[in-house]
Amino acid sequence: MDEEVLSEGRRLSRTVCLLCRQRKVRCNRKLPKCDSCLRGGVECQYIVVKNKPGLRAGYVSELEERLAKLEQEVQQLKADRSVPVEINSLAAPSSASDQSLRDAPASIAHISPRSVRCSPFDFDPLSVSILDELCTAWFEKYHAWFPILHQATLLEILQTSPILSSTVHYIVFKAIAAVTIPHSYHSDSLTNEQRRILSDDLRGQVVMEAISQLSLQSLQAVLILTIRDYGAGRLSEFWNLIALAKRMGTQLGLRDIVAHHCDKFNQVSATPPRMLPLPISLVNREEKIRAYWMTEVLDGSSTVGAAWNLNISRPGSNGLLPSSDTTWAFPEAVIGGWSFDKFDMSSAYSLYAILVTNELYHVHRFLQQSFDTQSATERVRWQSECKAVDEGLIAWRSKFVTVSIRMSVESGGVYDPNVVLTHCALDLAIVSLYQRLALPPSGLEEAQGPWYHAIQRCLDACDSITNVLRGMHDTHLENISPLIISCIFVASRFFLVHAKLLNVEIPRNLDLLVYSLKTCGLRWSYARRLEKVIRTATADHKLPSSMSSLPTQFYDLQYSYLDIDEALRVWAEGLEPWMHLAGLEHPALDQTSILMPNMNIMSGDDGTFMPDAAQMQQAEAALTACRH
């Protein structure tokens, strides 16, 4: 009975007076008539409200599962794109996430095409297996033009050390990983963004450790990092590392070793001795010598053309030079069979070091002098001194050509990147030496006019760079030192500015220079940035300078390429948002894009090329749209 009453009560609690419901008034649900219907004198009608169907069993837990899975996928996409990750703990997506992304529509899946395999659970860039691959890449692609490490010794340490992190060379391995992992790690287990994050993290570790722990290996690691910063176009960071390396080298007494042939150490002499440890082996001594020269080479070659008050080391005489490349390739046990006096010092790297530290010193010194551009007497004096410095470069070039030919014959014609770098550094020095005098500053054109000797010397140097590049394979150009980028850019810029200011056609050689920048850009982002600059200047050739989107200083040869580098960086970064409007693809610009119109290669004897009228209109319209 009680159950029947309870059931009837539940039923009545679900009843509602139909008239009250329609009139939207409160109903007291009194039976047989509610108060509202009773007062109105109408028949009260009741209906039973059916319960709405509830959720099926297990639905809530299933929904929570799906939400958790979706949240995990979103977090993974964030990690792939922008969230910094730890070196040793890159999170791996679950198998469910893997299947979910494979089943996702193309409009969603394209967001991160490699995200399902980009984060191995236990990836460690400093594990022996991965370091073995990265060190192999280093000695194949970098060592020839950056020979500061002894290959046999370093690889032996890598393969035989039970605890690699406890060795003094561990910081060197970190630096190698920081430089090579963005380009030379062949596994597809990492996205490009993760490679960049790893490289940045390793760079930070190396710098902090090098500052706190002075050693030859710390210096070597800092020098290796400079490659990464210069190749990325981070010149300020690059010079900061060079300053750190020079101070470390001074504390280690490297110049004393080079200048005094390891004498004057811990002994009575006319020169005050230094309390420094002597090299413990021939390899240790040679690595110190090479670390000293590489520091000076990087400092001198990266600042050619700057009129700043640089603290470039004065040339030394009779200093110890790096040993021959052939000798340096032997294991230490083999090298130990020779005396130092038997080393053959005439290597291509030694010639490059001599050029940068001795001959280019005079170029630096000349460019740091000031003169009155308004004074005709001062201009004549400057021209005379400029020629004197140039004569020294001409004499050195003739000796270099003779020696390089002999070395090429002895090596069977094997390609040597240091020969290329020496040629290009010489030509860069000539353009830097003459370009400020070639065309007078704005406002002095009529009074002074061009100095045609300087113009011709610059054009010859630009052609010389082009000829050197023409003889290189693409793989060699892709793998060579990023310092060649500035040489290519300076030649390209002079061709363009000379043609624009004197109203002549652009030399056809510019096409090869742009292609060379594009090839270097396969590895170095600095080359990709400067390629954009040259392509834009080419498209703007027939436009007034005021209509060009480039900084006006680009067309003023009173400014060196180093003076305008920061302005060009800002310009290139500002270019990014509208690049897609021109159909451009990053990082390498499309050859058919408006920034480099398809060139009509002319069949005339002048060997020049120019964009046609339609292409110029297209370029002008795009630049106008960009400004608005």
Side-chain angles (χ1 to χ4, degrees), residues 60-86:
V60 173
S61 60
E62 182 182 345
L63 182 61
E64 290 176 346
E65 233 177 80
R66 292 170 61 187
L67 287 174
K69 188 185 302 182
L70 181 60
E71 184 179 6
Q72 183 181 8
E73 293 173 8
V74 171
Q75 293 299 327
Q76 181 61 48
L77 288 175
K78 285 184 178 180
D80 292 344
R81 287 184 167 269
S82 60
V83 179
V85 291
E86 292 298 328

PDB file of all heavy atoms in Angstrom, residues 60-86:
ATOM      1  N   VAL A  60      29.453   9.659 -20.200  1.00  0.00           N
ATOM      2  CA  VAL A  60      30.251  10.716 -19.587  1.00  0.00           C
ATOM      3  C   VAL A  60      31.729  10.324 -19.535  1.00  0.00           C
ATOM      4  O   VAL A  60      32.614  11.107 -19.875  1.00  0.00           O
ATOM      5  CB  VAL A  60      29.727  11.032 -18.177  1.00  0.00           C
ATOM      6  CG1 VAL A  60      30.657  12.018 -17.474  1.00  0.00           C
ATOM      7  CG2 VAL A  60      28.316  11.591 -18.243  1.00  0.00           C
ATOM      8  N   SER A  61      32.021   9.095 -19.123  1.00  0.00           N
ATOM      9  CA  SER A  61      33.415   8.660 -19.057  1.00  0.00           C
ATOM     10  C   SER A  61      34.047   8.622 -20.435  1.00  0.00           C
ATOM     11  O   SER A  61      35.218   8.961 -20.617  1.00  0.00           O
ATOM     12  CB  SER A  61      33.499   7.274 -18.390  1.00  0.00           C
ATOM     13  OG  SER A  61      32.764   6.330 -19.134  1.00  0.00           O
ATOM     14  N   GLU A  62      33.251   8.245 -21.443  1.00  0.00           N
ATOM     15  CA  GLU A  62      33.786   8.228 -22.817  1.00  0.00           C
ATOM     16  C   GLU A  62      34.101   9.640 -23.298  1.00  0.00           C
ATOM     17  O   GLU A  62      35.117   9.886 -23.954  1.00  0.00           O
ATOM     18  CB  GLU A  62      32.771   7.566 -23.745  1.00  0.00           C
ATOM     19  CG  GLU A  62      33.255   7.466 -25.188  1.00  0.00           C
ATOM     20  CD  GLU A  62      32.202   6.848 -26.098  1.00  0.00           C
ATOM     21  OE1 GLU A  62      31.237   6.245 -25.582  1.00  0.00           O
ATOM     22  OE2 GLU A  62      32.355   6.967 -27.325  1.00  0.00           O
ATOM     23  N   LEU A  63      33.203  10.582 -22.959  1.00  0.00           N
ATOM     24  CA  LEU A  63      33.422  11.974 -23.348  1.00  0.00           C
ATOM     25  C   LEU A  63      34.675  12.538 -22.677  1.00  0.00           C
ATOM     26  O   LEU A  63      35.475  13.243 -23.299  1.00  0.00           O
ATOM     27  CB  LEU A  63      32.196  12.799 -22.976  1.00  0.00           C
ATOM     28  CG  LEU A  63      32.247  14.288 -23.368  1.00  0.00           C
ATOM     29  CD1 LEU A  63      32.373  14.442 -24.875  1.00  0.00           C
ATOM     30  CD2 LEU A  63      31.005  15.011 -22.856  1.00  0.00           C
ATOM     31  N   GLU A  64      34.856  12.240 -21.403  1.00  0.00           N
ATOM     32  CA  GLU A  64      36.045  12.707 -20.696  1.00  0.00           C
ATOM     33  C   GLU A  64      37.312  12.149 -21.326  1.00  0.00           C
ATOM     34  O   GLU A  64      38.336  12.834 -21.431  1.00  0.00           O
ATOM     35  CB  GLU A  64      35.956  12.300 -19.222  1.00  0.00           C
ATOM     36  CG  GLU A  64      34.895  13.070 -18.445  1.00  0.00           C
ATOM     37  CD  GLU A  64      34.776  12.571 -17.023  1.00  0.00           C
ATOM     38  OE1 GLU A  64      35.324  11.473 -16.736  1.00  0.00           O
ATOM     39  OE2 GLU A  64      34.153  13.262 -16.190  1.00  0.00           O
ATOM     40  N   GLU A  65      37.221  10.893 -21.754  1.00  0.00           N
ATOM     41  CA  GLU A  65      38.374  10.269 -22.415  1.00  0.00           C
ATOM     42  C   GLU A  65      38.741  11.006 -23.695  1.00  0.00           C
ATOM     43  O   GLU A  65      39.897  11.302 -23.970  1.00  0.00           O
ATOM     44  CB  GLU A  65      38.020   8.812 -22.740  1.00  0.00           C
ATOM     45  CG  GLU A  65      39.056   7.811 -22.205  1.00  0.00           C
ATOM     46  CD  GLU A  65      38.598   6.394 -22.491  1.00  0.00           C
ATOM     47  OE1 GLU A  65      38.776   5.957 -23.632  1.00  0.00           O
ATOM     48  OE2 GLU A  65      38.042   5.774 -21.572  1.00  0.00           O
ATOM     49  N   ARG A  66      37.728  11.323 -24.497  1.00  0.00           N
ATOM     50  CA  ARG A  66      37.970  11.996 -25.775  1.00  0.00           C
ATOM     51  C   ARG A  66      38.513  13.406 -25.560  1.00  0.00           C
ATOM     52  O   ARG A  66      39.398  13.876 -26.280  1.00  0.00           O
ATOM     53  CB  ARG A  66      36.667  12.052 -26.579  1.00  0.00           C
ATOM     54  CG  ARG A  66      36.199  10.684 -27.058  1.00  0.00           C
ATOM     55  CD  ARG A  66      34.796  10.735 -27.629  1.00  0.00           C
ATOM     56  NE  ARG A  66      34.724  11.616 -28.787  1.00  0.00           N
ATOM     57  CZ  ARG A  66      33.571  11.947 -29.400  1.00  0.00           C
ATOM     58  NH1 ARG A  66      32.424  11.479 -28.930  1.00  0.00           N
ATOM     59  NH2 ARG A  66      33.584  12.723 -30.454  1.00  0.00           N
ATOM     60  N   LEU A  67      38.006  14.101 -24.545  1.00  0.00           N
ATOM     61  CA  LEU A  67      38.509  15.443 -24.248  1.00  0.00           C
ATOM     62  C   LEU A  67      39.964  15.397 -23.793  1.00  0.00           C
ATOM     63  O   LEU A  67      40.782  16.249 -24.165  1.00  0.00           O
ATOM     64  CB  LEU A  67      37.638  16.099 -23.167  1.00  0.00           C
ATOM     65  CG  LEU A  67      36.242  16.551 -23.611  1.00  0.00           C
ATOM     66  CD1 LEU A  67      35.441  17.033 -22.413  1.00  0.00           C
ATOM     67  CD2 LEU A  67      36.337  17.655 -24.651  1.00  0.00           C
ATOM     68  N   ALA A  68      40.299  14.424 -22.963  1.00  0.00           N
ATOM     69  CA  ALA A  68      41.685  14.295 -22.506  1.00  0.00           C
ATOM     70  C   ALA A  68      42.617  14.017 -23.676  1.00  0.00           C
ATOM     71  O   ALA A  68      43.730  14.545 -23.758  1.00  0.00           O
ATOM     72  CB  ALA A  68      41.785  13.183 -21.464  1.00  0.00           C
ATOM     73  N   LYS A  69      42.156  13.176 -24.620  1.00  0.00           N
ATOM     74  CA  LYS A  69      42.971  12.851 -25.789  1.00  0.00           C
ATOM     75  C   LYS A  69      43.178  14.091 -26.661  1.00  0.00           C
ATOM     76  O   LYS A  69      44.277  14.370 -27.147  1.00  0.00           O
ATOM     77  CB  LYS A  69      42.292  11.748 -26.584  1.00  0.00           C
ATOM     78  CG  LYS A  69      43.134  11.180 -27.716  1.00  0.00           C
ATOM     79  CD  LYS A  69      42.332  10.173 -28.533  1.00  0.00           C
ATOM     80  CE  LYS A  69      41.824   9.035 -27.644  1.00  0.00           C
ATOM     81  NZ  LYS A  69      41.088   8.016 -28.428  1.00  0.00           N
ATOM     82  N   LEU A  70      42.105  14.859 -26.857  1.00  0.00           N
ATOM     83  CA  LEU A  70      42.203  16.077 -27.661  1.00  0.00           C
ATOM     84  C   LEU A  70      43.135  17.092 -27.004  1.00  0.00           C
ATOM     85  O   LEU A  70      43.939  17.755 -27.663  1.00  0.00           O
ATOM     86  CB  LEU A  70      40.819  16.682 -27.856  1.00  0.00           C
ATOM     87  CG  LEU A  70      40.750  17.967 -28.695  1.00  0.00           C
ATOM     88  CD1 LEU A  70      41.277  17.719 -30.097  1.00  0.00           C
ATOM     89  CD2 LEU A  70      39.323  18.503 -28.747  1.00  0.00           C
ATOM     90  N   GLU A  71      43.043  17.230 -25.684  1.00  0.00           N
ATOM     91  CA  GLU A  71      43.922  18.144 -24.963  1.00  0.00           C
ATOM     92  C   GLU A  71      45.380  17.745 -25.113  1.00  0.00           C
ATOM     93  O   GLU A  71      46.272  18.583 -25.273  1.00  0.00           O
ATOM     94  CB  GLU A  71      43.526  18.170 -23.487  1.00  0.00           C
ATOM     95  CG  GLU A  71      44.348  19.179 -22.683  1.00  0.00           C
ATOM     96  CD  GLU A  71      43.923  19.206 -21.229  1.00  0.00           C
ATOM     97  OE1 GLU A  71      43.080  18.367 -20.841  1.00  0.00           O
ATOM     98  OE2 GLU A  71      44.445  20.057 -20.496  1.00  0.00           O
ATOM     99  N   GLN A  72      45.637  16.432 -25.092  1.00  0.00           N
ATOM    100  CA  GLN A  72      47.015  15.950 -25.256  1.00  0.00           C
ATOM    101  C   GLN A  72      47.545  16.299 -26.635  1.00  0.00           C
ATOM    102  O   GLN A  72      48.698  16.710 -26.792  1.00  0.00           O
ATOM    103  CB  GLN A  72      47.043  14.436 -25.034  1.00  0.00           C
ATOM    104  CG  GLN A  72      48.442  13.832 -25.108  1.00  0.00           C
ATOM    105  CD  GLN A  72      48.406  12.331 -24.913  1.00  0.00           C
ATOM    106  OE1 GLN A  72      47.348  11.736 -24.869  1.00  0.00           O
ATOM    107  NE2 GLN A  72      49.573  11.743 -24.789  1.00  0.00           N
ATOM    108  N   GLU A  73      46.699  16.160 -27.666  1.00  0.00           N
ATOM    109  CA  GLU A  73      47.140  16.483 -29.029  1.00  0.00           C
ATOM    110  C   GLU A  73      47.430  17.973 -29.175  1.00  0.00           C
ATOM    111  O   GLU A  73      48.408  18.375 -29.816  1.00  0.00           O
ATOM    112  CB  GLU A  73      46.063  16.053 -30.018  1.00  0.00           C
ATOM    113  CG  GLU A  73      45.873  14.539 -30.110  1.00  0.00           C
ATOM    114  CD  GLU A  73      44.669  14.168 -30.975  1.00  0.00           C
ATOM    115  OE1 GLU A  73      44.114  15.081 -31.608  1.00  0.00           O
ATOM    116  OE2 GLU A  73      44.318  12.981 -30.995  1.00  0.00           O
ATOM    117  N   VAL A  74      46.577  18.826 -28.562  1.00  0.00           N
ATOM    118  CA  VAL A  74      46.796  20.268 -28.634  1.00  0.00           C
ATOM    119  C   VAL A  74      48.102  20.654 -27.950  1.00  0.00           C
ATOM    120  O   VAL A  74      48.889  21.456 -28.449  1.00  0.00           O
ATOM    121  CB  VAL A  74      45.604  21.017 -28.005  1.00  0.00           C
ATOM    122  CG1 VAL A  74      45.922  22.506 -27.876  1.00  0.00           C
ATOM    123  CG2 VAL A  74      44.353  20.821 -28.844  1.00  0.00           C
ATOM    124  N   GLN A  75      48.358  20.068 -26.786  1.00  0.00           N
ATOM    125  CA  GLN A  75      49.606  20.341 -26.080  1.00  0.00           C
ATOM    126  C   GLN A  75      50.807  19.905 -26.895  1.00  0.00           C
ATOM    127  O   GLN A  75      51.856  20.560 -26.909  1.00  0.00           O
ATOM    128  CB  GLN A  75      49.598  19.640 -24.708  1.00  0.00           C
ATOM    129  CG  GLN A  75      48.577  20.204 -23.732  1.00  0.00           C
ATOM    130  CD  GLN A  75      48.824  21.667 -23.424  1.00  0.00           C
ATOM    131  OE1 GLN A  75      49.965  22.130 -23.390  1.00  0.00           O
ATOM    132  NE2 GLN A  75      47.746  22.421 -23.215  1.00  0.00           N
ATOM    133  N   GLN A  76      50.667  18.776 -27.596  1.00  0.00           N
ATOM    134  CA  GLN A  76      51.773  18.296 -28.420  1.00  0.00           C
ATOM    135  C   GLN A  76      52.053  19.256 -29.571  1.00  0.00           C
ATOM    136  O   GLN A  76      53.202  19.555 -29.891  1.00  0.00           O
ATOM    137  CB  GLN A  76      51.442  16.903 -28.972  1.00  0.00           C
ATOM    138  CG  GLN A  76      52.555  16.309 -29.827  1.00  0.00           C
ATOM    139  CD  GLN A  76      53.824  16.153 -29.033  1.00  0.00           C
ATOM    140  OE1 GLN A  76      53.790  15.623 -27.919  1.00  0.00           O
ATOM    141  NE2 GLN A  76      54.930  16.615 -29.556  1.00  0.00           N
ATOM    142  N   LEU A  77      50.997  19.771 -30.212  1.00  0.00           N
ATOM    143  CA  LEU A  77      51.173  20.731 -31.299  1.00  0.00           C
ATOM    144  C   LEU A  77      51.848  22.000 -30.788  1.00  0.00           C
ATOM    145  O   LEU A  77      52.703  22.580 -31.454  1.00  0.00           O
ATOM    146  CB  LEU A  77      49.811  21.070 -31.923  1.00  0.00           C
ATOM    147  CG  LEU A  77      49.161  19.973 -32.771  1.00  0.00           C
ATOM    148  CD1 LEU A  77      47.776  20.414 -33.218  1.00  0.00           C
ATOM    149  CD2 LEU A  77      50.027  19.657 -33.975  1.00  0.00           C
ATOM    150  N   LYS A  78      51.468  22.450 -29.585  1.00  0.00           N
ATOM    151  CA  LYS A  78      52.120  23.624 -29.010  1.00  0.00           C
ATOM    152  C   LYS A  78      53.589  23.370 -28.762  1.00  0.00           C
ATOM    153  O   LYS A  78      54.448  24.215 -29.033  1.00  0.00           O
ATOM    154  CB  LYS A  78      51.439  24.002 -27.691  1.00  0.00           C
ATOM    155  CG  LYS A  78      50.088  24.670 -27.857  1.00  0.00           C
ATOM    156  CD  LYS A  78      49.541  25.081 -26.498  1.00  0.00           C
ATOM    157  CE  LYS A  78      48.214  25.803 -26.638  1.00  0.00           C
ATOM    158  NZ  LYS A  78      47.679  26.209 -25.318  1.00  0.00           N
ATOM    159  N   ALA A  79      53.904  22.197 -28.252  1.00  0.00           N
ATOM    160  CA  ALA A  79      55.307  21.861 -27.984  1.00  0.00           C
ATOM    161  C   ALA A  79      56.105  21.835 -29.267  1.00  0.00           C
ATOM    162  O   ALA A  79      57.250  22.265 -29.317  1.00  0.00           O
ATOM    163  CB  ALA A  79      55.391  20.513 -27.264  1.00  0.00           C
ATOM    164  N   ASP A  80      55.504  21.327 -30.353  1.00  0.00           N
ATOM    165  CA  ASP A  80      56.212  21.248 -31.634  1.00  0.00           C
ATOM    166  C   ASP A  80      56.505  22.626 -32.182  1.00  0.00           C
ATOM    167  O   ASP A  80      57.514  22.848 -32.840  1.00  0.00           O
ATOM    168  CB  ASP A  80      55.363  20.474 -32.664  1.00  0.00           C
ATOM    169  CG  ASP A  80      55.236  19.014 -32.297  1.00  0.00           C
ATOM    170  OD1 ASP A  80      56.027  18.558 -31.451  1.00  0.00           O
ATOM    171  OD2 ASP A  80      54.338  18.334 -32.840  1.00  0.00           O
ATOM    172  N   ARG A  81      55.630  23.588 -31.904  1.00  0.00           N
ATOM    173  CA  ARG A  81      55.766  24.874 -32.567  1.00  0.00           C
ATOM    174  C   ARG A  81      56.470  25.928 -31.727  1.00  0.00           C
ATOM    175  O   ARG A  81      57.284  26.681 -32.217  1.00  0.00           O
ATOM    176  CB  ARG A  81      54.387  25.415 -32.974  1.00  0.00           C
ATOM    177  CG  ARG A  81      53.831  24.644 -34.157  1.00  0.00           C
ATOM    178  CD  ARG A  81      52.507  25.236 -34.612  1.00  0.00           C
ATOM    179  NE  ARG A  81      52.163  24.683 -35.903  1.00  0.00           N
ATOM    180  CZ  ARG A  81      52.494  25.225 -37.062  1.00  0.00           C
ATOM    181  NH1 ARG A  81      53.184  26.329 -37.069  1.00  0.00           N
ATOM    182  NH2 ARG A  81      52.172  24.672 -38.201  1.00  0.00           N
ATOM    183  N   SER A  82      56.162  26.033 -30.458  1.00  0.00           N
ATOM    184  CA  SER A  82      56.703  27.174 -29.721  1.00  0.00           C
ATOM    185  C   SER A  82      57.159  26.901 -28.303  1.00  0.00           C
ATOM    186  O   SER A  82      57.852  27.726 -27.730  1.00  0.00           O
ATOM    187  CB  SER A  82      55.645  28.288 -29.675  1.00  0.00           C
ATOM    188  OG  SER A  82      54.486  27.825 -29.021  1.00  0.00           O
ATOM    189  N   VAL A  83      56.782  25.824 -27.716  1.00  0.00           N
ATOM    190  CA  VAL A  83      57.112  25.607 -26.315  1.00  0.00           C
ATOM    191  C   VAL A  83      58.491  25.004 -26.202  1.00  0.00           C
ATOM    192  O   VAL A  83      58.752  23.952 -26.778  1.00  0.00           O
ATOM    193  CB  VAL A  83      56.078  24.692 -25.635  1.00  0.00           C
ATOM    194  CG1 VAL A  83      56.425  24.444 -24.179  1.00  0.00           C
ATOM    195  CG2 VAL A  83      54.683  25.285 -25.752  1.00  0.00           C
ATOM    196  N   PRO A  84      59.429  25.637 -25.475  1.00  0.00           N
ATOM    197  CA  PRO A  84      60.766  25.057 -25.316  1.00  0.00           C
ATOM    198  C   PRO A  84      60.683  23.708 -24.637  1.00  0.00           C
ATOM    199  O   PRO A  84      59.877  23.473 -23.761  1.00  0.00           O
ATOM    200  CB  PRO A  84      61.493  26.085 -24.436  1.00  0.00           C
ATOM    201  CG  PRO A  84      60.727  27.345 -24.616  1.00  0.00           C
ATOM    202  CD  PRO A  84      59.307  26.943 -24.843  1.00  0.00           C
ATOM    203  N   VAL A  85      61.554  22.812 -25.082  1.00  0.00           N
ATOM    204  CA  VAL A  85      61.558  21.464 -24.536  1.00  0.00           C
ATOM    205  C   VAL A  85      62.913  21.171 -23.955  1.00  0.00           C
ATOM    206  O   VAL A  85      63.917  21.747 -24.328  1.00  0.00           O
ATOM    207  CB  VAL A  85      61.231  20.428 -25.640  1.00  0.00           C
ATOM    208  CG1 VAL A  85      59.807  20.559 -26.087  1.00  0.00           C
ATOM    209  CG2 VAL A  85      62.160  20.570 -26.819  1.00  0.00           C
ATOM    210  N   GLU A  86      62.954  20.272 -22.989  1.00  0.00           N
ATOM    211  CA  GLU A  86      64.206  19.887 -22.372  1.00  0.00           C
ATOM    212  C   GLU A  86      65.001  18.999 -23.320  1.00  0.00           C
ATOM    213  O   GLU A  86      64.434  18.245 -24.119  1.00  0.00           O
ATOM    214  CB  GLU A  86      63.928  19.127 -21.073  1.00  0.00           C
ATOM    215  CG  GLU A  86      63.323  19.999 -19.981  1.00  0.00           C
ATOM    216  CD  GLU A  86      64.242  21.117 -19.563  1.00  0.00           C
ATOM    217  OE1 GLU A  86      65.466  20.896 -19.612  1.00  0.00           O
ATOM    218  OE2 GLU A  86      63.755  22.190 -19.207  1.00  0.00           O
TER     219      GLU A  86
END
